[in-house]
């Protein structure tokens, strides 16, 4: 086996090399170098009378230089040729040509045809039959025949955009030979193994040919792209190469559907590295226009990677019914959703908590998916645009929670009818244990996923049984209860997870299945101009060939004998004779099928233990060294001439040239001192003065109802509480502020007191939306009906007028479940130790956000930062008890008259304010000794 075939066109000329010793002896002597002396006359006469001199010995390196010159001339005349074609074939059997015509052979296919044609000519001259088989053809007639028939087959063959199926071609060849041993078996290969267990060389050797030749081209041209991933900030592209000897840098280009280059990047291979990854950096919108990625200057099907709808990153909007807790992000309902989707989608969150304005703005950004985590009620004006967005192909994914459990049953954005409340599993009053998940059904997007064994559900919202509930259930519990339900609406769909998005109701969000489930749901959504199926078509629907890839990497509408592609959720489809690489589907939506599977790696053929003769293609590797040797001899001759001239003193007789070194350095540096205008805190715009005044200190705020007496009592009441806070605590609030909900900014105030009045005008929808956004972003509203009655727990009795007005206001707000303040709540001990919260009256409880049953009493609420309830409701008329005139005298008597009750009303106000400002800080166990000491225990 020759590693480097080598021959001389005129080997007899090499006999001249025996004359090199003689040349060495002749070149050893050189005349002495002329000697320069000073002019003195006597010195000259002395030199004239000097003794006779003999030649001195030349330096060894000069002699060696001349010997190399002579050797280069002799070798050049002998005409050495590298990789000469071996034109002799064995005549003991037929010539067998086993030809690769896969995607990697397209760059040098013409040379392969010439090489095979030359072998056929040799067989024809020797009168030997020829058998030929092609590894990328579905069928082969490899019966040995005449040379002319073999040429016709060779001319009709062409490279295919496929990985060679050498096993099928070998079986056809073995059957055609029928036990006849080949004379010369030439394997014209692309050099790459077709699979990890490719034993083609060994199988061909088992045919017992008299001579086995391996003819291959340039392995450096065999490079392919194996995957492309649309990451968060760039597209990453992975490529593999066959020749990994040296380092290489490949330029890659991303093109749109029209074939226009719109972005570029590079992939760098290190020495010895066969797989490398590069990136193409481009904006999100531009990357979604990528239709294909290709390697520059490599026109093969493997150097092109087609992209389909599944490649494009979706734009996903995240909405939550609760404000995130930046100090405890694990309790945020969006935390696990963000972590699950960050690698696969571009996430968008609203700039303002006011859903009435943020949802229309978000819809203008054309999101593919909207995810709502525990949102019960939406602003009324947002339902119509959301329903239109879904009908046009949007996907709405909702997660349950306390707010959704308390929402009306007729919500149009829920896929199934929900029962009021939620079902608890594993509690003290529950008959059932926490439930695991059942097997995923085969018709949904989760088909093929393994059954989760470590996921349990402790609480969920239940769906009312309907005849089509089973068809709309994509995941369920072991007892058959639906966990994920869906409803198609025209071109879009609604999906509901019957558990919360954080880990209070189940451990699904902290499992790996959660990531895969969300990823699959997002991939179902519409992307770009592709319309989603309105009828929820099965993923197994056959896709007809739309555009097919040629061996040179171009898309063509010629589909030939290609069959429709049947996607399989469990098995990734591979390119084959029936399904060549290309796009399957239609202009409305298609699936890309590439040459190599994802993460494939090119490896050389295994030739270990087999005697073969390696050859190159005709016109590819064969070249003569004669011109190069003559060039070397000429350069050596010039070098020798210069050395001799230098040694003879030719250069020393020249007068040194006058050297004038002029270094002209022109440094023109324009120092532009950028002096941007500086911003100062006092550069206020017209109308900003009140805002700066309210930012300097804490202000108590109340809602201006428009009724003069009610507003006067509210202002004087908050003024009295402000004075009490100043005298009794370190908090020194500034004067209270009256708010117009339609005009004023609410974010400056930790709590807003709202005196409910049935005779006042009903707040507008815009005002309600602002209050809803204020509560979502961490603010708290204290509703006071001022009538001593509870508007939330009337036990079927008639409500007061103010209570009815409160219920009308709350009907348009997304509020959590409420409960009276528990005896161990932080409100009872945030500053004073209290057991009740009286105002001017004492008959109404103080309502706050209810704690979930599976949450510890001292745990932080997931709803707001530090566990602060977004809503407080009472009927005890706090402002009436706090109100004082300019002399500090109470304006209204308590009912019944009792100054101790007024003192406790003030203390209730102090506790509420401390609760607003410190959250559940007082629930920490570090305060228990101090509290016990205060209680005298």
């Amino acid at each position: 086996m020759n590693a480097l075939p080598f021959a001389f066109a005129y080997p007899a000329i090499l006999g001249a090399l025996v004359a090199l010793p003689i040349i060495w002896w002749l070149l050893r002597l050189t005349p002495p170098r002329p000697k320069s002396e000073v002019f003195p006359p006597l010195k000259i006469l002395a030199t004239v009378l000097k003794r006779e001199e003999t030649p001195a010995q030349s330096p060894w390196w000069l002699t060696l230089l001349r010997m190399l010159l002579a050797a280069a001339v002799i070798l050049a005349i002998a005409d050495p040729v590298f990789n000469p074609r071996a034109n002799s074939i064995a005549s003991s059997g037929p010539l067998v040509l086993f030809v690769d015509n896969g995607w990697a052979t397209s760059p040098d296919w013409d040379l392969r045809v010439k090489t095979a044609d030359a072998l056929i000519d040799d067989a024809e001259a020797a009168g030997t039959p020829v058998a030929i088989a092609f590894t990328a053809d579905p069928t082969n007639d490899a019966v040995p025949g005449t040379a002319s028939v073999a040429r016709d087959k060779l001319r009709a063959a062409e490279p295919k955009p496929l990985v060679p199926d050498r096993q099928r071609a070998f079986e056809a060849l073995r059957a055609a030979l029928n036990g006849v041993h080949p004379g010369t078996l030439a394997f014209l290969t692309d050099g790459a193994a077709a699979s990890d267990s490719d034993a083609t060389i060994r199988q061909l050797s088992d045919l017992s040919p008299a001579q086995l030749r391996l003819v291959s081209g340039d392995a450096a041209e065999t490079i392919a792209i194996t995957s492309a991933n649309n990451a968060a900030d760039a597209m990453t592209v992975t490529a593999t190469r066959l020749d990994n000897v040296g380092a290489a840098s490949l330029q890659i280009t991303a093109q749109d559907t029209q074939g226009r280059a719109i972005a570029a990047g590079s992939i760098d291979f290190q020495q010895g590295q066969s797989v490398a990854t590069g990136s193409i950096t481009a904006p999100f919108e531009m990357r979604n226009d990528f239709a294909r990625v290709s390697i520059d200057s490599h026109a093969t099907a493997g150097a092109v990677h087609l992209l389909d709808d599944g490649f494009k990153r979706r734009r996903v909007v995240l909405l939550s019914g609760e404000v995130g807790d930046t100090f405890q992000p694990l309790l945020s309902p969006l935390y696990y959703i963000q972590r699950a989707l960050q690698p696969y989608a571009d996430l968008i969150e609203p700039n303002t908590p006011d859903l009435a304005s943020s949802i229309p703005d978000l819809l203008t950004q054309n999101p593919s998916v909207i995810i709502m985590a525990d949102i019960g009620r939406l602003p009324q004006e947002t339902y119509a645009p959301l329903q239109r967005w879904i009908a046009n192909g949007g996907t709405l994914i909702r997660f349950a929670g306390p707010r959704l459990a308390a929402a009306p049953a007729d919500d149009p954005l829920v896929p199934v009818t929900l029962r009021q409340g939620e079902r608890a599993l594993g509690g003290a009053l529950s008959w059932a244990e926490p439930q695991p998940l059942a097997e995923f059904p085969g018709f949904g997007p989760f088909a093929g996923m393994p059954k989760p064994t470590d996921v349990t559900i402790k609480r969920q919202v239940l769906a009312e049984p309907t005849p089509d509930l089973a068809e709309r259930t994509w995941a369920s519990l072991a007892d058959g209860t639906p966990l994920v339900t869906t409803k198609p609406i025209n071109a879009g769909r609604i999906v509901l997870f019957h558990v919360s998005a954080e880990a209070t109701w189940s451990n699904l969000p902290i499992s790996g299945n959660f990531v895969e489930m969300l990823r699959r749901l997002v991939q179902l959504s519409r992307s770009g101009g592709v319309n989603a199926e309105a009828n929820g078509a099965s993923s197994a629907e056959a896709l007809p060939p739309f555009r097919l890839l040629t061996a040179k990497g171009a898309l063509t509408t010629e589909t030939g004998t290609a069959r429709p592609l049947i996607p399989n959720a469990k098995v990734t489809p591979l390119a084959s004779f029936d399904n060549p690489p290309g796009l399957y589907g239609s202009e409305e939506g298609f699936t890309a099928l590439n040459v190599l599977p994802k993460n494939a790696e090119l490896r050389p053929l295994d030739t270990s233990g087999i005697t073969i003769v390696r050859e190159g293609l005709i016109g590819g590797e064969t070249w003569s060294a004669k011109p190069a040797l003559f060039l070397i001899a000429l350069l050596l001759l010039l070098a020798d001439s210069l050395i001799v001239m230098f040694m003879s003193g030719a250069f020393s007789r020249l007068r040194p040239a006058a050297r004038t070194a002029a270094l002209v350095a022109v440094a023109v540096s324009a120092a532009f001192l950028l002096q941007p205008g500086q911003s100062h805190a006092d550069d206020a715009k017209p109308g900003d003065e009140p805002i700066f005044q309210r930012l300097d200190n804490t202000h108590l705020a109340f809602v201006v109802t428009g009724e003069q007496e009610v507003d006067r009592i509210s202002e004087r009441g908050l003024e009295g509480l402000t004075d009490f806070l100043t005298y009794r605590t370190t908090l020194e609030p500034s004067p209270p502020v009256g708010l117009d909900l339609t005009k004023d900014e609410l974010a400056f105030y930790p709590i807003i007191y709202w005196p409910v009045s049935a005779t006042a005008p009903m707040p507008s929808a815009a005002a309600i939306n602002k209050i809803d956004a204020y509560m979502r972003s961490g603010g708290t509203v204290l509703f006071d009906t001022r009538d001593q009655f509870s508007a939330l727990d009337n036990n079927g009795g008639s409500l007061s007028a103010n209570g009815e007005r409160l219920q009308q206001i709350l009907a348009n707000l997304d509020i959590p479940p409420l409960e009276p303040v528990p005896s161990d709540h932080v409100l009872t001990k945030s500053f004073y130790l209290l057991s009740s919260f009286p105002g001017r009256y004492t008959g109404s409880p103080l309502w706050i956000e209810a704690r979930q049953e599976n949450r510890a009493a001292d745990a932080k609420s997931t709803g707001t930062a530090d566990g602060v309830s977004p809503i407080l409701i009472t009927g005890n008329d706090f402002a009436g008890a706090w109100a004082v005139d300019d002399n500090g005298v109470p304006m209204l008597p308590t009912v019944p008259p009792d100054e101790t009750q007024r003192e406790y009303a003030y203390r209730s106000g102090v506790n509420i304010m401390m609760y607003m400002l410190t959250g559940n800080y007082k629930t920490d166990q570090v305060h228990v000794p101090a509290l016990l000491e205060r209680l005298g225990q």
Side-chain angles (χ1 to χ4, degrees):
M1 181 174 66
N2 294 329
L4 183 63
F6 179 83
F8 287 91
Y10 307 100
I13 302 298
L14 298 177
L17 294 175
V18 298
L20 287 179
I22 301 175
I23 298 175
W24 171 274
W25 182 79
L26 292 175
L27 295 178
R28 288 178 68 249
L29 302 179
T30 183
R33 177 181 177 181
K35 197 171 187 180
S36 299
E37 295 290 349
V38 192
F39 179 69
L42 294 178
K43 189 72 175 176
I44 296 176
L45 294 177
T47 304
V48 172
L49 299 177
K50 270 194 171 185
R51 65 185 180 277
E52 182 182 358
E53 294 183 348
T54 58
Q57 187 175 3
S58 66
W60 67 267
W61 50 266
L62 181 58
T63 303
L64 179 61
L65 177 67
R66 293 171 177 175
M67 292 289 294
L68 292 176
L69 172 59
V73 172
I74 295 173
L75 293 175
I77 296 175
D79 192 8
V81 178
F82 289 84
N83 290 334
R85 188 179 73 85
N87 55 4
S88 61
I89 63 172
S91 58
S92 58
L95 169 66
V96 176
L97 299 178
F98 197 70
V99 183
D100 276 341
N101 60 330
W103 64 270
T105 62
S106 60
D108 54 5
W109 178 250
D110 292 338
L111 294 180
R112 295 175 182 273
V113 171
K114 290 181 180 179
T115 303
D117 201 11
L119 291 172
I120 294 175
D121 290 343
D122 293 343
E124 186 177 27
T128 303
V130 181
I132 187 170
F134 300 94
T135 59
D137 287 354
T139 59
N140 278 287
D141 180 10
V143 176
T146 63
S148 60
V149 173
R151 286 195 189 94
D152 292 340
K153 294 180 181 179
L154 182 62
R155 298 291 186 272
E158 60 181 5
K160 304 295 178 62
L162 296 170
V163 175
D165 189 350
R166 295 176 180 137
Q167 184 62 37
R168 175 184 293 197
F170 174 75
E171 296 296 338
L173 175 63
R174 183 169 59 180
L177 292 177
N178 195 21
V180 176
H181 298 298
T184 295
L185 196 160
F187 182 13
L188 279 72
T189 179
D190 57 21
S195 64
D196 294 338
S197 58
D198 192 339
T200 304
I201 301 294
R202 186 168 300 278
Q203 290 176 330
L204 294 177
S205 178
D206 291 342
L207 295 178
S208 302
Q211 184 185 52
L212 179 58
R213 297 184 183 180
L214 188 65
V215 184
S216 57
D218 185 6
E221 295 294 324
T222 307
I223 302 175
I225 298 177
T226 57
S227 67
N229 180 33
N230 203 355
D233 55 353
M235 182 183 72
T236 59
V237 181
T238 302
T240 179
R241 61 174 181 168
L242 183 61
D243 182 11
N244 61 359
V245 175
S249 180
L250 303 178
Q251 300 300 313
I252 54 178
T253 302
Q255 300 170 334
D256 60 9
T257 54
Q258 303 299 323
R260 296 170 296 194
I262 54 180
S266 62
I267 301 178
D268 296 324
F269 287 90
Q270 303 299 324
Q271 185 174 0
Q273 187 180 17
S274 58
V275 177
T277 300
S279 63
I280 298 178
T281 303
F284 162 74
E285 293 80 6
M286 184 179 294
R287 281 184 278 126
N288 268 5
D289 290 336
F290 291 175
R292 55 185 285 172
V293 183
S294 59
I295 302 176
D296 297 351
S297 69
H298 286 73
T300 66
V304 172
H305 193 81
L306 301 176
L307 307 173
D308 55 17
D309 186 55
F311 160 81
K312 300 179 180 179
R313 289 176 65 86
R314 272 62 167 176
R315 181 179 278 117
V316 179
V317 170
L318 302 181
L319 299 176
S320 173
E322 303 173 347
V323 65
D325 189 345
T326 57
F327 296 100
Q328 287 192 348
L330 295 179
L331 299 179
S332 170
L334 295 178
Y335 178 82
Y336 298 103
I337 298 176
Q338 291 170 334
R339 296 305 183 275
L341 292 180
Q342 189 70 41
Y344 310 107
D346 284 86
L347 307 181
I348 306 174
E349 296 190 47
N351 295 325
T352 172
D354 185 0
L355 298 182
S357 61
S358 62
I359 287 180
D361 291 341
L362 293 171
L363 292 179
T364 60
Q365 302 184 42
N366 299 323
S368 299
V369 180
I370 294 179
I371 298 180
M372 295 183 181
D374 190 22
I375 292 181
R377 294 182 179 92
L378 289 170
Q380 190 64 35
E381 60 268 28
T382 62
Y383 282 93
L386 274 175
Q387 288 174 309
R388 288 195 300 269
W389 173 78
I390 296 172
N392 290 334
T395 298
L396 175 63
I397 303 176
R398 303 191 66 175
F399 285 85
R403 284 177 170 80
L404 185 61
D410 58 349
D411 190 341
L413 298 181
V414 174
V416 294
T417 303
L418 299 179
R419 296 182 184 179
Q420 293 296 305
E422 66 258 15
R423 178 179 77 156
L425 302 172
L429 300 179
S430 175
W431 290 95
E433 294 295 328
Q435 290 289 308
L437 270 63
E439 294 281 355
F440 292 112
F443 57 84
F446 310 140
M449 288 181 57
K451 173 185 175 181
T453 58
D454 56 346
V455 175
T456 55
I457 308 300
K458 297 178 289 186
R459 186 181 295 269
Q460 66 168 152
V461 292
L462 294 174
E464 292 286 353
T466 57
D468 60 345
L469 182 59
E471 300 175 2
R472 289 202 259 158
T473 301
W474 282 348
S476 60
L477 305 186
D479 62 359
T481 307
L483 176 67
V484 181
T485 54
T486 184
K487 178 182 179 181
I489 299 179
N490 293 344
R493 58 170 53 86
I494 301 175
V495 180
L496 172 64
F497 281 77
H498 291 240
V499 293
S500 62
E502 23 76 31
T504 56
W505 285 24
S506 71
N507 61 351
L508 176 63
I510 59 177
S511 68
N513 299 89
F514 187 71
V515 177
E516 181 63 16
M517 293 171 74
L518 282 182
R519 188 188 68 82
R520 293 194 179 198
L521 289 177
V522 169
Q523 290 298 320
L524 283 179
S525 65
R526 186 183 66 177
S527 177
V530 180
N531 296 322
E533 294 291 337
N535 58 357
S538 171
S539 60
E541 182 180 355
L543 302 175
F546 175 51
R547 299 281 191 274
L548 295 184
L549 202 63
T550 66
K552 291 186 175 297
L555 284 175
T556 178
T557 57
E558 297 293 334
T559 58
T561 59
R563 296 183 180 181
L565 179 68
I566 300 178
N568 191 326
K570 298 182 179 180
V571 179
T572 302
L574 300 176
S576 63
F577 297 115
D578 294 332
N579 298 122
L583 303 176
Y584 289 81
S586 63
E587 291 184 355
E588 296 182 351
F590 48 79
T591 296
L593 183 62
N594 289 291
V595 176
L596 295 181
K598 186 176 182 180
N599 299 326
E601 182 177 352
L602 294 176
R603 295 186 176 89
L605 283 167
D606 183 13
T607 60
S608 59
I610 302 174
T611 302
I612 58 176
V613 177
R614 293 184 180 270
E615 298 179 6
L617 300 176
I618 289 180
E621 298 292 335
T622 301
W623 61 279
S624 173
K626 184 176 182 178
L629 289 173
F630 273 126
L631 178 62
I632 293 174
L634 177 61
L635 294 177
L636 292 176
L637 178 60
L638 292 176
D640 180 79
S641 301
L642 292 175
I643 293 171
V644 171
M645 292 176 64
F646 179 81
M647 294 179 65
S648 63
F651 295 107
S652 62
R653 300 190 185 98
L654 297 177
R655 180 176 298 178
R659 300 177 181 178
T660 57
L663 299 176
V664 180
V666 180
V668 180
S669 57
F672 298 99
L673 301 178
L674 300 178
Q675 299 178 354
Q678 299 180 356
S679 299
H680 301 278
D682 55 355
D683 293 341
K685 298 180 182 179
D688 288 348
E689 291 80 4
I691 295 178
F692 289 118
Q693 292 175 3
R694 295 175 186 179
L695 286 175
D696 61 352
N697 206 342
T698 302
H699 295 261
L700 306 185
F702 65 93
V703 174
V704 176
T705 63
E707 295 184 339
Q708 184 175 1
E709 183 62 20
V710 174
D711 296 341
R712 187 175 70 89
I713 295 299
S714 297
E715 183 177 12
R716 299 310 305 173
L718 295 186
E719 184 69 39
L721 180 59
T722 297
D723 294 341
F724 192 87
L725 287 166
T726 303
Y727 297 148
R728 299 291 184 90
T729 71
T730 58
L731 177 64
E732 298 180 1
S734 295
V737 176
L739 299 177
D740 184 347
L741 294 181
T742 60
K743 299 178 181 179
D744 294 330
E745 176 59 51
L746 309 182
F748 304 135
Y749 313 102
I751 185 170
I752 297 176
Y753 178 76
W754 190 331
V756 180
S757 176
T759 57
M762 180 67 183
S764 64
I768 295 296
N769 291 335
K770 286 188 66 174
I771 282 292
D772 190 47
Y774 169 76
M775 295 166 62
R776 290 180 192 276
S777 58
T780 298
V781 180
L782 172 57
F783 293 94
D784 194 343
T785 58
R786 305 172 296 111
D787 53 11
Q788 194 177 1
F789 298 104
S790 173
L792 302 178
D793 190 15
N794 60 342
N795 294 324
S798 60
L799 292 174
S800 65
N802 290 350
E804 291 180 353
R805 174 56 59 87
L806 175 62
Q807 288 200 348
Q808 294 173 3
I809 295 174
L810 297 183
N812 297 318
L813 292 175
D814 187 19
I815 61 174
L818 304 176
E819 66 178 355
V821 176
S823 59
D824 60 345
H825 196 273
V826 65
L827 263 173
T828 64
K829 52 194 173 185
S830 59
F831 194 86
Y832 293 103
L833 297 178
L834 301 176
S835 59
S836 62
F837 299 87
R840 192 176 171 218
Y841 308 106
T842 61
S844 174
L846 180 61
W847 294 82
I848 63 171
E849 180 183 3
R851 292 195 298 248
Q852 296 185 27
E853 295 179 7
N854 61 343
R855 184 186 297 149
D858 59 349
K860 289 189 177 184
S861 168
T862 62
T864 54
D866 280 339
V868 177
S869 175
I871 184 172
L872 302 176
I873 299 177
T874 186
N876 287 336
D877 191 9
F878 282 156
W882 300 335
V884 295
D885 58 18
D886 293 338
N887 297 321
V889 178
M891 297 177 59
L892 299 175
T894 62
V895 180
D898 184 0
E899 288 305 312
T900 302
Q901 179 177 327
R902 190 183 305 277
E903 173 68 19
Y904 277 96
Y906 278 119
R907 294 186 178 187
S908 298
V910 172
N911 274 28
I912 290 174
M913 279 302 301
M914 295 303 170
Y915 171 59
M916 293 300 104
L917 299 176
T918 64
N920 60 3
Y921 165 71
K922 285 293 184 178
T923 63
D924 292 342
Q925 292 296 317
V926 70
H927 300 286
V928 171
L931 295 176
L932 293 178
E933 183 179 354
R934 289 284 302 278
L935 293 172
Q937 300 179 2

